[in-house]
Amino acid sequence: EFAKELGFDEDDAVGEAHYDTPHGDVDSFTLRLPAMSLMGRKVEDYLVGCQIMSKKLHVPGILGLDFFLKTDLRLAFLEKLIYLSW
């Protein structure tokens, strides 16, 4: 659904993806996004894996942690905060 909202579908796939999830194996596809910004950081030509998610989750999409590889990311669960510095 989220990929469709961004104007992409399986016809735009550049490859295949395989996920091992708690609910079993899922085969899906990958897309290459021309540009994307999040929290002040912009990346271009970014490869993403797409997977159909249950509507029960109420989650449009999940950003993989590899997006944050060049950052200092700290999770403070007790404070309910995420600290991110570039």
Side-chain angles (χ1 to χ4, degrees), residues 52-66:
I52 297 172
M53 299 179 71
S54 170
K55 291 185 185 277
K56 295 177 186 177
L57 295 175
H58 304 287
V59 176
I62 297 174
L63 185 61
L65 289 178
D66 60 337

Side-chain angles (χ1 to χ4, degrees), residues 8-69:
F8 295 98
D9 62 25
E10 287 190 59
D11 293 335
D12 300 304
V14 296
E16 297 178 355
H18 179 80
Y19 303 98
D20 295 320
T21 74
H23 301 286
D25 294 341
V26 176
D27 290 318
S28 193
F29 60 97
T30 58
L31 296 172
R32 194 163 290 283
L33 300 181
M36 178 176 70
S37 295
L38 175 70
M39 300 175 75
R41 180 178 179 203
K42 181 177 181 180
V43 292
E44 296 181 3
D45 195 34
Y46 196 69
L47 184 66
V48 297
C50 296
Q51 174 184 342
I52 297 172
M53 299 179 71
S54 170
K55 291 185 185 277
K56 295 177 186 177
L57 295 175
H58 304 287
V59 176
I62 297 174
L63 185 61
L65 289 178
D66 60 337
F67 183 84
F68 300 106
L69 281 176

